[in-house]
Amino acid sequence: MSVNFKELLSVNLDEVKAPAALPEGTYHGNIASFEYGDNNKNKTPYVRFGLKFHSASDDVDPKDLADIDLSARKMSTDFYLTPDARFRLKDFLESLGMKTAGSTFDELIPEAVGQSVIAYITQRFNPERPDDPPRNNIKSVKGE
């Protein structure tokens, strides 16, 4: 299937709006994907896990989610691969129930896809543009 850039780029910009931020709270989902990259600024290598959510915990008011299709939301979380930061990725993989003893990241990272996670999502505001709607951040994520 070919991408129709003509159609994608012919959208009236007056109609382009940021999606509403998720209410702050705890969400349940799965790891949908992973990819490797490096931070553009200082070339720090990382692995990025793509997350899809299917439900919210009791700390999120269902009324606040009424106009949000949670199944259409995707977020990601990054783990740096530097020697001083790798322990965080190891802890995360262990929280998914993976046995890390005798394993390598190269072996376990692909196996993380499909695993259940629980994430605490916060809202952040742009101090330079206080009238802009809030955006979301993942404060913490672990296996469920």
Side-chain angles (χ1 to χ4, degrees), residues 23-77:
E24 198 164 298
T26 308
Y27 292 82
H28 304 269
N30 296 85
I31 298 174
S33 63
F34 75 93
E35 66 181 6
Y36 300 107
D38 58 56
N39 180 299
N40 288 336
K41 194 183 307 177
N42 54 10
K43 301 296 184 194
T44 304
Y46 64 83
V47 60
R48 173 171 292 154
F49 291 103
L51 309 176
K52 291 191 78 171
F53 301 109
H54 53 73
S55 62
S57 287
D58 294 340
D59 62 346
V60 178
D61 188 335
K63 290 182 273 187
D64 293 338
L65 285 173
D67 296 329
I68 297 174
D69 180 3
L70 194 56
S71 67
R73 288 301 175 92
K74 297 176 186 175
M75 293 186 74
S76 63
T77 189

Short mmCIF file of all heavy atoms in Angstrom, two decimals, residues 23-77:
data_model
loop_
_atom_site.label_atom_id
_atom_site.label_comp_id
_atom_site.label_asym_id
_atom_site.label_seq_id
_atom_site.Cartn_x
_atom_site.Cartn_y
_atom_site.Cartn_z
N PRO A 23 -6.04 12.02 31.21
CA PRO A 23 -6.04 12.46 32.60
C PRO A 23 -4.89 11.80 33.36
O PRO A 23 -4.51 10.66 33.06
CB PRO A 23 -7.38 11.97 33.14
CG PRO A 23 -8.19 11.62 31.96
CD PRO A 23 -7.26 11.32 30.84
N GLU A 24 -4.36 12.50 34.32
CA GLU A 24 -3.27 11.96 35.12
C GLU A 24 -3.75 10.73 35.87
O GLU A 24 -4.86 10.71 36.41
CB GLU A 24 -2.79 13.02 36.10
CG GLU A 24 -1.43 12.74 36.66
CD GLU A 24 -0.81 13.95 37.31
OE1 GLU A 24 -0.58 14.95 36.61
OE2 GLU A 24 -0.55 13.86 38.53
N GLY A 25 -2.92 9.68 35.88
CA GLY A 25 -3.29 8.48 36.61
C GLY A 25 -2.60 7.24 36.07
O GLY A 25 -1.66 7.33 35.28
N THR A 26 -3.10 6.08 36.46
CA THR A 26 -2.51 4.79 36.16
C THR A 26 -3.27 4.11 35.02
O THR A 26 -4.50 4.04 35.06
CB THR A 26 -2.53 3.89 37.41
OG1 THR A 26 -1.94 4.62 38.49
CG2 THR A 26 -1.76 2.61 37.18
N TYR A 27 -2.51 3.59 34.05
CA TYR A 27 -3.09 2.96 32.86
C TYR A 27 -2.49 1.57 32.66
O TYR A 27 -1.32 1.34 32.95
CB TYR A 27 -2.85 3.83 31.62
CG TYR A 27 -3.61 5.12 31.68
CD1 TYR A 27 -3.12 6.21 32.39
CD2 TYR A 27 -4.84 5.25 31.04
CE1 TYR A 27 -3.83 7.40 32.46
CE2 TYR A 27 -5.55 6.44 31.12
CZ TYR A 27 -5.04 7.51 31.83
OH TYR A 27 -5.76 8.68 31.91
N HIS A 28 -3.31 0.68 32.12
CA HIS A 28 -2.90 -0.69 31.83
C HIS A 28 -2.80 -0.86 30.32
O HIS A 28 -3.66 -0.36 29.58
CB HIS A 28 -3.93 -1.68 32.39
CG HIS A 28 -4.17 -1.50 33.85
ND1 HIS A 28 -3.45 -2.16 34.81
CD2 HIS A 28 -5.03 -0.69 34.51
CE1 HIS A 28 -3.87 -1.78 36.01
NE2 HIS A 28 -4.83 -0.89 35.85
N GLY A 29 -1.77 -1.55 29.88
CA GLY A 29 -1.60 -1.75 28.45
C GLY A 29 -0.59 -2.82 28.14
O GLY A 29 -0.30 -3.69 28.97
N ASN A 30 -0.04 -2.73 26.94
CA ASN A 30 0.92 -3.71 26.45
C ASN A 30 2.04 -3.00 25.71
O ASN A 30 1.85 -1.91 25.17
CB ASN A 30 0.26 -4.70 25.49
CG ASN A 30 -0.79 -5.52 26.16
OD1 ASN A 30 -1.93 -5.09 26.28
ND2 ASN A 30 -0.42 -6.69 26.63
N ILE A 31 3.18 -3.68 25.65
CA ILE A 31 4.27 -3.20 24.81
C ILE A 31 3.93 -3.60 23.38
O ILE A 31 3.74 -4.78 23.09
CB ILE A 31 5.62 -3.79 25.26
CG1 ILE A 31 5.93 -3.33 26.68
CG2 ILE A 31 6.72 -3.38 24.28
CD1 ILE A 31 7.17 -3.97 27.27
N ALA A 32 3.82 -2.62 22.51
CA ALA A 32 3.42 -2.86 21.12
C ALA A 32 4.61 -2.98 20.18
O ALA A 32 4.50 -3.62 19.13
CB ALA A 32 2.49 -1.75 20.65
N SER A 33 5.74 -2.36 20.55
CA SER A 33 6.88 -2.34 19.63
C SER A 33 8.13 -1.92 20.38
O SER A 33 8.06 -1.51 21.53
CB SER A 33 6.62 -1.36 18.49
OG SER A 33 6.48 -0.04 19.00
N PHE A 34 9.26 -2.04 19.69
CA PHE A 34 10.51 -1.48 20.20
C PHE A 34 11.34 -1.03 19.02
O PHE A 34 11.17 -1.51 17.90
CB PHE A 34 11.29 -2.49 21.07
CG PHE A 34 11.97 -3.57 20.27
CD1 PHE A 34 13.29 -3.42 19.86
CD2 PHE A 34 11.29 -4.72 19.93
CE1 PHE A 34 13.92 -4.41 19.13
CE2 PHE A 34 11.91 -5.72 19.19
CZ PHE A 34 13.22 -5.57 18.79
N GLU A 35 12.22 -0.08 19.27
CA GLU A 35 13.17 0.36 18.26
C GLU A 35 14.39 0.92 18.96
O GLU A 35 14.32 1.37 20.10
CB GLU A 35 12.56 1.42 17.34
CG GLU A 35 12.22 2.73 18.02
CD GLU A 35 11.59 3.74 17.08
OE1 GLU A 35 11.30 3.42 15.93
OE2 GLU A 35 11.39 4.88 17.53
N TYR A 36 15.51 0.85 18.26
CA TYR A 36 16.75 1.39 18.79
C TYR A 36 17.03 2.73 18.11
O TYR A 36 16.66 2.94 16.96
CB TYR A 36 17.92 0.44 18.52
CG TYR A 36 17.74 -0.92 19.14
CD1 TYR A 36 17.45 -2.03 18.36
CD2 TYR A 36 17.84 -1.09 20.51
CE1 TYR A 36 17.28 -3.28 18.94
CE2 TYR A 36 17.67 -2.34 21.09
CZ TYR A 36 17.39 -3.43 20.30
OH TYR A 36 17.21 -4.66 20.87
N GLY A 37 17.67 3.62 18.85
CA GLY A 37 18.03 4.91 18.28
C GLY A 37 19.10 5.56 19.12
O GLY A 37 19.64 4.96 20.05
N ASP A 38 19.39 6.81 18.77
CA ASP A 38 20.31 7.58 19.60
C ASP A 38 19.78 8.99 19.70
O ASP A 38 19.14 9.51 18.80
CB ASP A 38 21.74 7.56 19.05
CG ASP A 38 21.88 8.09 17.65
OD1 ASP A 38 21.46 9.25 17.40
OD2 ASP A 38 22.40 7.37 16.79
N ASN A 39 20.00 9.57 20.86
CA ASN A 39 19.57 10.93 21.13
C ASN A 39 20.28 11.86 20.17
O ASN A 39 21.51 11.85 20.09
CB ASN A 39 19.89 11.25 22.59
CG ASN A 39 19.48 12.62 23.00
OD1 ASN A 39 19.96 13.59 22.43
ND2 ASN A 39 18.61 12.71 23.97
N ASN A 40 19.54 12.66 19.44
CA ASN A 40 20.15 13.53 18.43
C ASN A 40 21.17 14.51 19.00
O ASN A 40 22.14 14.85 18.35
CB ASN A 40 19.07 14.32 17.69
CG ASN A 40 18.28 13.42 16.77
OD1 ASN A 40 18.77 12.38 16.34
ND2 ASN A 40 17.06 13.80 16.46
N LYS A 41 20.94 14.96 20.22
CA LYS A 41 21.79 15.99 20.79
C LYS A 41 23.20 15.46 21.10
O LYS A 41 24.19 16.03 20.69
CB LYS A 41 21.17 16.53 22.08
CG LYS A 41 21.79 17.82 22.57
CD LYS A 41 21.18 18.29 23.89
CE LYS A 41 19.67 18.38 23.80
NZ LYS A 41 19.05 18.77 25.05
N ASN A 42 23.27 14.36 21.82
CA ASN A 42 24.60 13.86 22.21
C ASN A 42 24.83 12.40 21.82
O ASN A 42 25.76 11.78 22.30
CB ASN A 42 24.84 14.07 23.70
CG ASN A 42 23.74 13.46 24.54
OD1 ASN A 42 22.91 12.74 24.03
ND2 ASN A 42 23.74 13.76 25.82
N LYS A 43 23.96 11.87 20.96
CA LYS A 43 24.10 10.52 20.40
C LYS A 43 24.08 9.42 21.47
O LYS A 43 24.74 8.40 21.33
CB LYS A 43 25.38 10.41 19.56
CG LYS A 43 25.43 11.38 18.40
CD LYS A 43 24.34 11.08 17.42
CE LYS A 43 24.43 11.98 16.20
NZ LYS A 43 23.23 11.95 15.40
N THR A 44 23.32 9.61 22.54
CA THR A 44 23.18 8.59 23.57
C THR A 44 22.27 7.48 23.05
O THR A 44 21.12 7.74 22.68
CB THR A 44 22.59 9.19 24.86
OG1 THR A 44 23.41 10.29 25.26
CG2 THR A 44 22.52 8.15 25.96
N PRO A 45 22.75 6.23 23.00
CA PRO A 45 21.93 5.14 22.47
C PRO A 45 20.80 4.77 23.44
O PRO A 45 20.95 4.84 24.65
CB PRO A 45 22.93 3.99 22.32
CG PRO A 45 24.00 4.28 23.30
CD PRO A 45 24.08 5.78 23.41
N TYR A 46 19.65 4.39 22.87
CA TYR A 46 18.50 4.00 23.68
C TYR A 46 17.69 2.92 22.98
O TYR A 46 17.83 2.69 21.79
CB TYR A 46 17.60 5.22 23.98
CG TYR A 46 16.96 5.82 22.75
CD1 TYR A 46 15.80 5.28 22.21
CD2 TYR A 46 17.52 6.92 22.12
CE1 TYR A 46 15.22 5.83 21.07
CE2 TYR A 46 16.95 7.48 21.00
CZ TYR A 46 15.79 6.92 20.47
OH TYR A 46 15.23 7.45 19.33
N VAL A 47 16.81 2.30 23.75
CA VAL A 47 15.76 1.46 23.20
C VAL A 47 14.45 2.13 23.58
O VAL A 47 14.27 2.57 24.72
CB VAL A 47 15.82 -0.01 23.70
CG1 VAL A 47 15.69 -0.11 25.20
CG2 VAL A 47 14.75 -0.85 23.01
N ARG A 48 13.56 2.27 22.61
CA ARG A 48 12.25 2.89 22.82
C ARG A 48 11.18 1.82 22.70
O ARG A 48 11.11 1.12 21.70
CB ARG A 48 12.01 3.98 21.79
CG ARG A 48 10.61 4.59 21.82
CD ARG A 48 10.52 5.79 20.92
NE ARG A 48 11.36 6.84 21.53
CZ ARG A 48 11.94 7.82 20.85
NH1 ARG A 48 11.78 7.89 19.53
NH2 ARG A 48 12.67 8.72 21.46
N PHE A 49 10.36 1.71 23.75
CA PHE A 49 9.24 0.78 23.73
C PHE A 49 7.97 1.56 23.44
O PHE A 49 7.65 2.54 24.13
CB PHE A 49 9.10 0.06 25.08
CG PHE A 49 10.21 -0.91 25.36
CD1 PHE A 49 11.23 -0.59 26.23
CD2 PHE A 49 10.23 -2.15 24.74
CE1 PHE A 49 12.26 -1.47 26.49
CE2 PHE A 49 11.26 -3.06 25.00
CZ PHE A 49 12.27 -2.72 25.87
N GLY A 50 7.23 1.13 22.41
CA GLY A 50 5.93 1.71 22.11
C GLY A 50 4.87 1.04 22.95
O GLY A 50 4.83 -0.19 23.04
N LEU A 51 4.02 1.84 23.58
CA LEU A 51 2.98 1.31 24.47
C LEU A 51 1.60 1.63 23.93
O LEU A 51 1.37 2.71 23.39
CB LEU A 51 3.13 1.93 25.87
CG LEU A 51 4.51 1.87 26.52
CD1 LEU A 51 4.48 2.61 27.85
CD2 LEU A 51 4.96 0.45 26.70
N LYS A 52 0.70 0.68 24.08
CA LYS A 52 -0.73 0.90 23.78
C LYS A 52 -1.51 0.57 25.04
O LYS A 52 -1.22 -0.43 25.70
CB LYS A 52 -1.18 0.01 22.62
CG LYS A 52 -0.56 0.43 21.29
CD LYS A 52 -1.22 -0.28 20.15
CE LYS A 52 -2.54 0.44 19.91
NZ LYS A 52 -3.21 0.02 18.71
N PHE A 53 -2.49 1.40 25.35
CA PHE A 53 -3.25 1.22 26.58
C PHE A 53 -4.65 0.69 26.28
O PHE A 53 -5.23 1.00 25.24
CB PHE A 53 -3.33 2.54 27.34
CG PHE A 53 -1.97 3.07 27.70
CD1 PHE A 53 -1.46 4.19 27.08
CD2 PHE A 53 -1.20 2.42 28.64
CE1 PHE A 53 -0.20 4.67 27.39
CE2 PHE A 53 0.06 2.88 28.96
CZ PHE A 53 0.56 4.00 28.34
N HIS A 54 -5.19 -0.09 27.22
CA HIS A 54 -6.53 -0.62 27.03
C HIS A 54 -7.49 -0.25 28.15
O HIS A 54 -8.71 -0.32 27.97
CB HIS A 54 -6.52 -2.15 26.84
CG HIS A 54 -5.80 -2.90 27.90
ND1 HIS A 54 -6.30 -3.07 29.16
CD2 HIS A 54 -4.60 -3.52 27.88
CE1 HIS A 54 -5.45 -3.78 29.89
NE2 HIS A 54 -4.40 -4.06 29.12
N SER A 55 -6.95 0.19 29.31
CA SER A 55 -7.85 0.58 30.39
C SER A 55 -7.10 1.46 31.39
O SER A 55 -5.88 1.54 31.38
CB SER A 55 -8.39 -0.66 31.11
OG SER A 55 -7.34 -1.41 31.70
N ALA A 56 -7.90 2.11 32.22
CA ALA A 56 -7.36 2.97 33.27
C ALA A 56 -7.73 2.39 34.62
O ALA A 56 -8.73 1.68 34.75
CB ALA A 56 -7.93 4.38 33.13
N SER A 57 -6.92 2.69 35.63
CA SER A 57 -7.19 2.23 36.99
C SER A 57 -8.22 3.13 37.66
O SER A 57 -8.67 4.13 37.09
CB SER A 57 -5.90 2.22 37.81
OG SER A 57 -5.07 1.16 37.41
N ASP A 58 -8.54 2.79 38.89
CA ASP A 58 -9.54 3.53 39.65
C ASP A 58 -9.14 4.96 39.97
O ASP A 58 -9.98 5.77 40.33
CB ASP A 58 -9.87 2.80 40.96
CG ASP A 58 -10.55 1.46 40.72
OD1 ASP A 58 -11.10 1.27 39.62
OD2 ASP A 58 -10.52 0.62 41.64
N ASP A 59 -7.84 5.28 39.84
CA ASP A 59 -7.41 6.65 40.12
C ASP A 59 -7.69 7.62 38.97
O ASP A 59 -7.38 8.80 39.06
CB ASP A 59 -5.94 6.71 40.54
CG ASP A 59 -4.98 6.22 39.46
OD1 ASP A 59 -5.43 5.59 38.48
OD2 ASP A 59 -3.76 6.44 39.61
N VAL A 60 -8.29 7.11 37.89
CA VAL A 60 -8.69 7.94 36.75
C VAL A 60 -10.22 7.93 36.69
O VAL A 60 -10.83 6.87 36.60
CB VAL A 60 -8.10 7.42 35.42
CG1 VAL A 60 -8.58 8.27 34.25
CG2 VAL A 60 -6.59 7.37 35.49
N ASP A 61 -10.82 9.11 36.75
CA ASP A 61 -12.28 9.23 36.69
C ASP A 61 -12.75 8.88 35.28
O ASP A 61 -12.32 9.52 34.31
CB ASP A 61 -12.69 10.65 37.06
CG ASP A 61 -14.18 10.81 37.22
OD1 ASP A 61 -14.96 10.02 36.63
OD2 ASP A 61 -14.60 11.73 37.96
N PRO A 62 -13.63 7.88 35.14
CA PRO A 62 -14.12 7.50 33.81
C PRO A 62 -14.74 8.67 33.04
O PRO A 62 -14.68 8.70 31.81
CB PRO A 62 -15.17 6.42 34.10
CG PRO A 62 -14.81 5.89 35.45
CD PRO A 62 -14.19 7.04 36.20
N LYS A 63 -15.31 9.64 33.74
CA LYS A 63 -15.89 10.80 33.06
C LYS A 63 -14.82 11.60 32.33
O LYS A 63 -15.09 12.20 31.29
CB LYS A 63 -16.63 11.70 34.06
CG LYS A 63 -17.91 11.10 34.60
CD LYS A 63 -18.60 12.06 35.53
CE LYS A 63 -18.00 11.84 36.90
NZ LYS A 63 -18.63 12.55 37.98
N ASP A 64 -13.60 11.60 32.86
CA ASP A 64 -12.51 12.34 32.23
C ASP A 64 -12.01 11.65 30.96
O ASP A 64 -11.30 12.25 30.16
CB ASP A 64 -11.34 12.52 33.19
CG ASP A 64 -11.69 13.42 34.37
OD1 ASP A 64 -12.64 14.22 34.24
OD2 ASP A 64 -11.02 13.31 35.41
N LEU A 65 -12.37 10.39 30.78
CA LEU A 65 -11.98 9.63 29.59
C LEU A 65 -13.10 9.50 28.57
O LEU A 65 -12.93 8.89 27.53
CB LEU A 65 -11.53 8.21 29.99
CG LEU A 65 -10.17 8.07 30.64
CD1 LEU A 65 -9.96 6.65 31.13
CD2 LEU A 65 -9.07 8.46 29.67
N ALA A 66 -14.25 10.10 28.87
CA ALA A 66 -15.44 9.91 28.04
C ALA A 66 -15.23 10.24 26.57
O ALA A 66 -15.74 9.55 25.69
CB ALA A 66 -16.61 10.73 28.60
N ASP A 67 -14.47 11.28 26.27
CA ASP A 67 -14.27 11.70 24.88
C ASP A 67 -12.93 11.24 24.31
O ASP A 67 -12.51 11.73 23.26
CB ASP A 67 -14.36 13.23 24.78
CG ASP A 67 -15.74 13.74 25.14
OD1 ASP A 67 -16.72 13.00 24.89
OD2 ASP A 67 -15.84 14.86 25.66
N ILE A 68 -12.27 10.30 24.99
CA ILE A 68 -10.94 9.84 24.56
C ILE A 68 -11.01 8.36 24.20
O ILE A 68 -11.48 7.55 24.99
CB ILE A 68 -9.90 10.08 25.67
CG1 ILE A 68 -9.75 11.57 25.96
CG2 ILE A 68 -8.56 9.46 25.29
CD1 ILE A 68 -8.85 11.90 27.13
N ASP A 69 -10.56 8.04 22.99
CA ASP A 69 -10.45 6.64 22.57
C ASP A 69 -9.11 6.12 23.04
O ASP A 69 -8.09 6.29 22.37
CB ASP A 69 -10.60 6.53 21.05
CG ASP A 69 -10.50 5.10 20.55
OD1 ASP A 69 -10.38 4.17 21.38
OD2 ASP A 69 -10.54 4.90 19.32
N LEU A 70 -9.11 5.48 24.20
CA LEU A 70 -7.87 5.01 24.81
C LEU A 70 -7.14 4.01 23.91
O LEU A 70 -5.91 4.00 23.84
CB LEU A 70 -8.17 4.39 26.17
CG LEU A 70 -7.01 4.13 27.10
CD1 LEU A 70 -6.22 5.40 27.35
CD2 LEU A 70 -7.51 3.55 28.41
N SER A 71 -7.88 3.19 23.19
CA SER A 71 -7.25 2.17 22.33
C SER A 71 -6.48 2.79 21.16
O SER A 71 -5.62 2.13 20.57
CB SER A 71 -8.29 1.19 21.81
OG SER A 71 -9.18 1.84 20.91
N ALA A 72 -6.77 4.04 20.83
CA ALA A 72 -6.08 4.70 19.73
C ALA A 72 -4.83 5.44 20.20
O ALA A 72 -4.06 5.94 19.38
CB ALA A 72 -7.02 5.68 19.03
N ARG A 73 -4.62 5.52 21.51
CA ARG A 73 -3.48 6.26 22.05
C ARG A 73 -2.23 5.40 22.06
O ARG A 73 -2.26 4.24 22.45
CB ARG A 73 -3.75 6.73 23.47
CG ARG A 73 -4.74 7.84 23.55
CD ARG A 73 -4.24 9.04 22.73
NE ARG A 73 -5.20 10.08 22.68
CZ ARG A 73 -5.27 11.08 23.53
NH1 ARG A 73 -4.41 11.18 24.50
NH2 ARG A 73 -6.21 11.97 23.40
N LYS A 74 -1.14 6.01 21.65
CA LYS A 74 0.16 5.36 21.70
C LYS A 74 1.12 6.30 22.41
O LYS A 74 1.09 7.50 22.19
CB LYS A 74 0.69 5.09 20.29
CG LYS A 74 -0.17 4.14 19.50
CD LYS A 74 0.36 3.99 18.09
CE LYS A 74 -0.57 3.15 17.26
NZ LYS A 74 -0.16 3.09 15.86
N MET A 75 1.93 5.74 23.28
CA MET A 75 2.98 6.51 23.95
C MET A 75 4.23 5.66 23.92
O MET A 75 4.19 4.48 23.57
CB MET A 75 2.57 6.86 25.38
CG MET A 75 1.40 7.84 25.45
SD MET A 75 1.03 8.38 27.12
CE MET A 75 2.40 9.49 27.41
N SER A 76 5.34 6.26 24.29
CA SER A 76 6.57 5.49 24.31
C SER A 76 7.39 5.84 25.54
O SER A 76 7.22 6.91 26.13
CB SER A 76 7.39 5.75 23.04
OG SER A 76 7.77 7.09 22.96
N THR A 77 8.26 4.92 25.89
CA THR A 77 9.19 5.14 26.98
C THR A 77 10.56 4.67 26.55
O THR A 77 10.69 3.66 25.85
CB THR A 77 8.71 4.41 28.27
OG1 THR A 77 9.53 4.80 29.36
CG2 THR A 77 8.72 2.91 28.11
#
